[in-house]
Amino acid sequence: MGVPLLDLKAQYRELQTELDAAIGDVMANAAFIGGPKVKGFEEAVAGYCGTSHAVACGNGTDALFLIMAAMGIGKGDEVITTPFTFWATVECIHHVGATPVFVDIEPGTYNMDVSQVEAAITPRTKAILPVHIFGQCVDMDPLVEIAERHGVAVIEDACQAIGATYKGRRAGSLAHAAAFSFFPSKNLGAAGDGGMITTDDADLAARARKLASHGTSKKYFHDAFGTNSRLDALQAAILLVKLPHLDRWNGERRAAAAVYSELLAGVDGLDLPVARDFGDAVYHLYIVKTESVEAAETVMGALKEAGIGTALYYPLALHEQEAFDHVDGFVRPALPVAESCDSRTFALPCFPGITREQQEEVAAVVRRALGGA
C-alpha cells in the first residue's frame, strides 16, 4: 500500500478549518511582519519550554547563528560540537568566525558523547553546542556541570527536539540558550521556514532580537551590524494553531517507535535506536543502522521498491565533509563511532497517525531485505 516517510497532508486535513481561519485572519488584517501573531507565538513557545524569553527568527540556522553572535563568539574562539547532525550546526560556527571542535557520539542514541567533552576544552573554548539529535536530549546535567567548571556557555541545538524532556524539563530550557527550527518536516512544522531562540537571559534575548533586525532596537538607528531574520506572521499563525497538538503528536511518535522496536527486535544486522531513561524522546526520526553500507542500500532499495519512504541520516559525518579541506588549520579528527554511521543509518516512517498495519508492512520489507522471515 506504500507508506510515506512523513504525511503532512493528513496533518493539514486534521486542522484545515483552524489553519485556514488563522491564515485568513492575517491576510484580512495585513499584519505580515511582526505583530500580534508573532508576539503571541513567542510567548507560547516560552511558556511551553519553560523559559523567560523566546525570540522568533527566520529559521533554525539563523537561531543558532544569532545566539553565538549575541554571545560574542567569533574569530579565535572554539565551539565543541557533534559531527553527527545536519550541516547547519557547524555552518553557523564557521560563519561567526569560530572553529568547530568535534567529539564523537554515543552508539544507539547518536548524541554527543559527554564523557569526551572535557578533554576537548582549551583556553579558546567559548561554548559547547550539543544537538538533541532525532528528538532525544543529550545527557545535559553532566555537560552543564563541565561547562560551568570551565566557564563556557552551553547552547542547545534543539531543532529536532521540540517537546523532548530531560529529567522533567523540556528541551530549550536546559542551557544558556537554545535554537529551534520549524521547517515543515519538524515535529512542529510551519508551511515554510521558521525559527526560535529560547533563553532565561534577558540581555542575550535583547541582543539576539536586535541582531535579527539589522542591529537596531529603534528604527533607523543602528548600534550593531545585524542581519534580517524574521518569522513572518503567516507562519506564526500556523504554528499557533499547531502548538496545542504537539504533545499528542509527539506521544503518537513515541507509540510508533515502540511498535517498531517490537516488530524489529532481534533482526540480525540491524541496530535499533536506544532510548535513555532520563526523559521522553520525541522521535523526529526513527533511525536504524545496518552492519554495512551495502546492507543499508539493500534495505533502502527494497523500501523504495515497495513505495515506502526512507532517507539517509546522514551519508557523511560533518568532519569528513569536503568543505573542511578549505579551512586553514583544520585537522580532521578520527571519530570512529560517527564514521561508522556513514551511509548506514536511515529513517523508517514514524509520524503521527501512522497505523500499525503500515508499520507491519515496513517491518516486513526490512526483515525480508535482511534475509529474515
Side-chain angles (χ1 to χ4, degrees):
M1 60 181 165
V3 186
L5 184 58
L6 176 65
D7 190 355
L8 292 177
K9 293 178 182 178
Q11 190 180 87
Y12 174 61
R13 288 193 297 270
E14 176 189 351
L15 301 176
Q16 182 173 356
T17 300
E18 294 174 77
L19 288 169
D20 289 354
I23 293 166
D25 182 60
V26 173
M27 297 300 294
N29 288 286
F32 302 122
I33 302 298
K37 295 294 186 183
V38 174
K39 186 175 187 295
F41 184 57
E42 288 178 331
E43 292 172 350
V45 170
Y48 180 82
C49 292
T51 60
S52 302
H53 306 278
V55 179
C57 59
N59 51 68
T61 304
D62 283 357
L64 286 168
F65 172 83
L66 289 164
I67 290 168
M68 285 186 275
M71 286 181 171
I73 296 170
K75 187 175 182 180
D77 296 334
E78 293 176 349
V79 177
I80 297 170
T81 194
T82 170
F84 192 72
T85 183
F86 181 58
W87 181 247
T89 305
V90 71
E91 193 172 39
C92 296
I93 297 170
H94 179 76
H95 283 321
V96 296
T99 300
V101 174
F102 295 106
V103 298
D104 213 346
I105 61 173
E106 300 173 332
T109 70
Y110 308 107
N111 271 328
M112 172 185 282
D113 185 343
V114 174
S115 70
Q116 298 189 27
V117 169
E118 191 154 24
I121 293 175
T122 75
R124 296 173 60 191
T125 305
K126 287 296 189 296
I128 304 168
L129 179 50
V131 178
H132 304 317
I133 199 69
F134 308 137
Q136 180 167 206
C137 288
V138 172
D139 193 1
M140 292 298 291
D141 281 354
L143 185 64
V144 170
E145 191 276 328
I146 290 167
E148 289 177 346
R149 189 155 14 97
H150 290 272
V152 301
V154 179
I155 303 165
E156 295 174 74
D157 182 335
C159 288
Q160 297 185 7
I162 190 164
T165 62
Y166 176 82
K167 299 183 180 180
R169 295 172 290 158
R170 292 194 194 274
S173 67
L174 306 174
H176 295 86
F180 289 99
S181 167
F182 305 116
F183 187 78
S185 64
K186 294 297 194 289
N187 293 39
L188 181 64
D193 275 314
M196 188 74 77
I197 297 161
T198 55
T199 184
D200 285 326
D201 185 332
D203 290 338
L204 175 62
R207 289 194 298 274
R209 189 180 297 280
K210 180 169 67 175
L211 290 172
S213 184
H214 299 288
T216 180
S217 51
K218 181 181 179 182
K219 192 172 183 179
Y220 301 132
F221 293 86
H222 306 264
D223 58 6
F225 290 94
T227 187
N228 178 16
S229 182
R230 300 180 179 123
L231 176 67
D232 70 62
L234 281 168
Q235 303 303 341
I238 289 166
L239 291 163
L240 274 168
V241 170
K242 289 186 173 186
L243 180 59
H245 301 273
L246 177 60
D247 286 345
R248 173 173 57 87
W249 290 337
N250 283 342
E252 291 177 14
R253 287 174 180 268
R254 278 191 293 275
V259 170
Y260 277 134
S261 295
E262 170 201 333
L263 296 175
L264 296 171
V267 175
D268 289 340
L270 189 72
D271 291 341
L272 305 183
V274 173
R276 302 289 293 274
D277 61 5
F278 47 54
D280 289 330
V282 295
Y283 291 95
H284 171 60
L285 295 165
Y286 186 91
I287 298 295
V288 296
K289 180 182 178 183
T290 57
E291 292 181 342
S292 67
V293 173
E294 293 75 19
E297 291 173 347
T298 296
V299 176
M300 293 181 71
L303 290 168
K304 290 174 182 176
E305 180 69 21
I308 296 169
T310 186
L312 284 171
Y313 294 91
Y314 294 94
L316 199 64
L318 298 190
H319 67 293
E320 300 176 280
Q321 295 285 350
E322 183 181 352
F324 281 108
D325 294 344
H326 313 294
V327 175
D328 291 341
F330 181 76
V331 178
R332 187 166 277 115
L335 303 172
V337 181
E339 291 161 16
S340 77
C341 297
D342 290 353
S343 295
R344 291 169 50 192
T345 44
F346 55 95
L348 303 181
C350 186
F351 53 85
I354 192 171
T355 66
R356 185 178 179 95
E357 182 183 11
Q358 288 175 310
Q359 292 188 266
E360 287 173 346
E361 179 184 358
V362 174
V365 172
V366 172
R367 283 180 172 274
R368 285 195 300 269
L370 290 172

